[in-house]
Amino acid sequence: MFTDLKDFLQAKSREDRKVYTYVKALFRTGSYGYTYLCDGDVQEGDMAVVTVSNEKKAVFVSAVSYGTSSEAPYPFEKLRFVDEVARYGTPRHLELLCDFAGATPVPEEELYPKIIDDDDDEDEYDDDDKDEYDEEYDGDGEEEVFDE
């Protein structure tokens, strides 16, 4: 581990100077965190996908740290990479979170129902709009004010 910037910059090998992103991944709530390498942008709270025994698993990113290969919290040669990262707040994050929790994901259509607009001519002026206008204004262009 380097104690200061000078030691870091004077490292003999370029590999010793490369900074990696280390992710602590939880396979279930309250479980022990496993360390993975990550190439992309990742933050605590994101969901990720990792390969375990040729099977893709959803994991929760509980911590993110940065360091050189010599600073790895686990033997660097044995570390595996994260396959995919899903940012917090995205539909993919929700899908992986449900998988992580063992819940059935709710279809996006049910989460965000579309508003159905039956009035296709809302931009057109009709007689009903004229009546509403006449009630609001007294004809001289100013809004009526009533004393209470």
Side-chain angles (χ1 to χ4, degrees):
M1 181 178 290
F2 300 104
T3 56
D4 62 14
L5 183 60
K6 183 179 175 185
D7 291 341
F8 177 74
L9 294 174
Q10 291 178 350
K12 294 178 183 175
S13 152
R14 273 192 118 41
E15 193 62 30
D16 289 340
R17 288 185 280 178
K18 184 173 180 185
V19 176
Y20 295 92
T21 303
Y22 299 102
V23 171
K24 188 172 194 176
L26 301 179
F27 284 89
R28 63 182 184 281
T29 305
S31 71
Y32 176 80
Y34 292 88
T35 302
Y36 284 84
L37 287 166
C38 186
D39 281 335
D41 185 27
V42 63
Q43 296 177 357
E44 285 183 27
D46 288 347
M47 294 299 295
V49 176
V50 297
T51 304
V52 179
S53 301
N54 295 326
E55 187 178 335
K56 302 279 186 184
K57 297 276 189 179
V59 295
F60 180 78
V61 176
S62 65
V64 178
S65 61
Y66 305 91
T68 62
S69 59
S70 62
E71 297 173 314
Y74 189 76
F76 187 79
E77 329 53 70
K78 294 183 179 184
L79 289 174
R80 295 182 183 177
F81 278 88
V82 167
D83 296 327
E84 173 190 354
V85 174
R87 298 306 302 254
Y88 179 80
T90 62
R92 180 66 175 147
H93 180 273
L94 180 61
E95 180 184 336
L96 291 174
L97 186 60
C98 288
D99 186 35
F100 174 78
T104 304
V106 177
E108 189 173 350
E109 304 82 51
E110 292 180 28
L111 288 174
Y112 309 105
K114 293 182 181 178
I115 298 173
I116 299 172
D117 186 11
D118 292 334
D119 187 17
D120 293 335
D121 61 336
E122 68 181 42
D123 293 331
E124 296 178 17
Y125 183 80
D126 59 14
D127 288 334
D128 292 337
D129 292 337
K130 182 182 181 308
D131 293 340
E132 289 175 20
Y133 178 83
D134 290 340
E135 290 173 8
E136 289 180 29
Y137 299 96
D138 62 3
D140 61 2
E142 293 182 19
E143 192 171 334
E144 290 185 63
V145 178
F146 297 100
D147 293 330
E148 293 183 19

